[in-house]
Amino acid sequence: MPHDHGRKLAKFYYASEKTIQKAIQASADAQRRWDKTPLEERIRIWQNAADLMAGAHRQRLNAATMLGQSKSVVQAEIDSAAELIDFFRFNVFFLKENAKYQPISENLSVTRNSLRFRGLDGFVAAISPFNFTAIGGNLAYTPALMGNGVLWKPSDTALLSNWRIFNIMREAGLPPGIVNFVPADGPTFGKTITASSRLAGINFTGSVPTFNWLWNEVGKNLNKYQNYPRLIGECGGKNYHFIHPSADIQSVVTGTIRSAFEYCGQKCSACSRMYVPRSLSEPIKQGLLEERSKLKIGDPTDFKIFTGAVIDDKAFARITGYIKNAKNNPKNKILGGGEFDGSKGYFVQPTIIETVDPFDKLMTEEIFGPVLTMYVYEDRDLDQALGLVGSSTKFALTGAVFATDQKFLESAFEELKMTAGNFYLNDKSTGSVVGQQPFGGGRMSGTNDKAGGPNYVMRWTTPQSIKETFVPLKDIDYPYMRD
């Protein structure tokens, strides 16, 4: 448990290269059988699973997420219950809606045109992160819904909750071999799947370096594959809150505290940089520090806590490294927090830093922890500050603008168009809801395939167009040739 790392919750084994190859064979073979299963039957299984997740297994999912991933009770409920269930129900809904389309048939007595969905020929590798139990379920089971065989490599630090999902799907009626649960060493798994001629797709959420490595390996092996593999990736962000002088201070403070520090800032969408005008800087600082001081950090089984521990020793070392560097950098000033203790659990206090350098690594690199950095700009330099948002980092996942000036909101809406796949006006940069704000970003934040939206399921099918002709073709020539 991250908040009590002396206590073990589960034991698992890494699959060897040989075992991974065996799982590839099982998935690819199962895909051909599974692809013949009618959509109606697949939909029935997914709806059954959603009902199990919403009922009998709801608190087992929440408990595993709270203990294994150190989520507060509300963050677990939002994730491992609500969002996971929504992914299953909405993906079924979107599949049924998409299946309603059929091509035009001008005269059904002569010809009928139709379209059917097929799975990808081979196997799909799903590589899921620790921070959202729901993402694990979505990455592995949405391709399966569309007729694919899947190898699921869960995160080492989300094994228990992900194993719960796997067994719920078994109970719901998913046949064996369609999704294979394969914990493995990352490089071993990556090398084995990309070397297989049967690789049909990679569904990934994680770091930019890992996704880049996978993409490069696929490129090197392109001549081996029987398909062009589909590469779908969500790689995090350096998400921003941009504050205009007309902004409502209370909304800024409340939204930023929640966005930056809920689940220890370990959300892909968490606010980690903010741009504040000089005219509002003091009341915003005061508000942030006042609210920060109220946050209780501790064991998630205590329902009074705001957040728990960061996920593991590697995350603890990375995050605290940024804090230590900030303490030694004269350009940066720690306004609040900056303390950490890894003796019992990997606890990092929510930390607010002010920098005078908008290109400092605190403002440009993804930290993935409870560290918020503020840059104060002069009101007269508003346009210049706005330009920093998109020019200072390679990410473009989420962002928010706070203002009551409608003209500014309209101009910022266009100016910041390419800086975020999920863009918020007077709201925090976190909290996308399945079916309401389909999620994903561009640039180095990923391929922006919008999980939680109608197009996501279509990324995992290879449609087939069919034309049936009912009237024999008797002539080779055309009528005009006879005139």
Side-chain angles (χ1 to χ4, degrees), residues 264-291:
C264 301
Q266 296 175 125
K267 297 183 181 183
C268 307
S269 55
C271 175
S272 60
R273 57 179 170 136
M274 67 184 305
Y275 301 84
V276 179
R278 179 72 63 189
S279 59
L280 298 184
S281 60
E282 288 309 314
I284 286 176
K285 285 182 200 177
Q286 182 180 344
L288 289 172
L289 292 173
E290 185 178 328
E291 293 300 328

Side-chain angles (χ1 to χ4, degrees), residues 32-96:
R32 296 192 174 186
R33 299 192 303 273
W34 176 240
D35 204 17
K36 296 175 184 176
T37 305
L39 287 182
E40 293 75 17
E41 173 61 13
R42 291 184 228 157
I43 286 168
R44 186 196 64 77
I45 293 170
W46 259 247
Q47 289 174 330
N48 187 22
D51 290 343
L52 289 169
M53 292 167 181
H57 292 287
R58 189 184 197 110
Q59 303 310 340
R60 286 167 56 80
L61 284 163
N62 284 344
T65 301
M66 290 171 69
L67 299 179
Q69 291 139 267
S70 201
K71 283 203 170 186
S72 68
V73 64
V74 68
Q75 292 297 309
E77 170 65 17
I78 289 166
D79 165 22
S80 49
E83 185 168 350
L84 179 62
I85 297 159
D86 279 353
F87 271 135
F88 274 65
R89 288 182 172 157
F90 273 92
N91 284 335
V92 163
F93 169 75
F94 292 135
L95 170 56
K96 290 193 289 186

Side-chain angles (χ1 to χ4, degrees), residues 104-338:
I104 295 167
S105 297
E106 291 186 334
N107 186 343
L108 284 171
S109 65
V110 178
T111 59
R112 178 172 61 198
N113 298 311
S114 60
L115 190 75
R116 67 172 174 173
F117 301 152
R118 301 173 296 172
L120 309 180
D121 188 9
F123 74 95
V124 172
I127 304 171
S128 60
F130 76 86
N131 60 329
F132 278 88
T133 301
I135 294 178
N138 191 42
L139 263 60
Y141 287 97
T142 303
L145 173 64
M146 301 307 291
N148 293 290
V150 180
L151 253 69
W152 182 11
K153 182 206 168 299
S155 168
D156 293 357
T157 44
L159 253 296
L160 185 58
S161 62
N162 288 183
W163 178 241
R164 292 265 190 272
I165 297 171
F166 179 74
N167 283 287
I168 290 168
M169 291 305 295
R170 281 176 161 176
E171 185 178 336
L174 185 66
I178 309 304
V179 174
N180 292 285
F181 191 86
V182 189
D185 169 65
T188 302
F189 186 84
K191 288 173 185 174
T192 308
I193 62 164
T194 55
S196 172
S197 63
R198 305 187 80 174
L199 178 66
I202 297 175
N203 203 8
F204 173 86
T205 295
S207 71
V208 170
T210 302
F211 195 49
N212 286 355
W213 185 90
L214 288 165
W215 200 297
N216 277 320
E217 288 300 300
V218 167
K220 289 176 189 174
N221 295 322
L222 207 52
N223 290 329
K224 287 184 179 181
Y225 303 132
Q226 60 191 27
N227 301 288
Y228 287 107
R230 304 220 178 152
L231 301 177
I232 291 178
E234 197 268 282
C235 302
K238 190 65 179 174
N239 312 296
Y240 64 86
H241 283 184
F242 189 91
I243 318 304
H244 184 262
S246 70
D248 178 79
I249 292 171
Q250 186 61 54
S251 294
V252 170
V253 169
T254 305
T256 304
I257 288 287
R258 277 198 169 186
S259 180
F261 299 135
E262 282 184 328
Y263 194 44
C264 301
Q266 296 175 125
K267 297 183 181 183
C268 307
S269 55
C271 175
S272 60
R273 57 179 170 136
M274 67 184 305
Y275 301 84
V276 179
R278 179 72 63 189
S279 59
L280 298 184
S281 60
E282 288 309 314
I284 286 176
K285 285 182 200 177
Q286 182 180 344
L288 289 172
L289 292 173
E290 185 178 328
E291 293 300 328
R292 195 213 73 84
S293 67
K294 299 175 187 176
L295 305 180
K296 183 177 179 181
I297 314 303
D299 187 327
T301 59
D302 175 359
F303 283 14
K304 291 185 174 65
I305 68 138
F306 184 77
T307 193
V310 299
I311 193 65
D312 61 12
D313 55 344
K314 298 181 188 69
F316 183 81
R318 184 188 68 251
I319 296 161
T320 57
Y322 279 96
I323 295 172
K324 290 173 186 175
N325 286 336
K327 289 178 178 178
N328 296 322
N329 187 339
K331 293 181 179 180
N332 303 324
K333 180 183 178 182
I334 293 181
L335 302 177

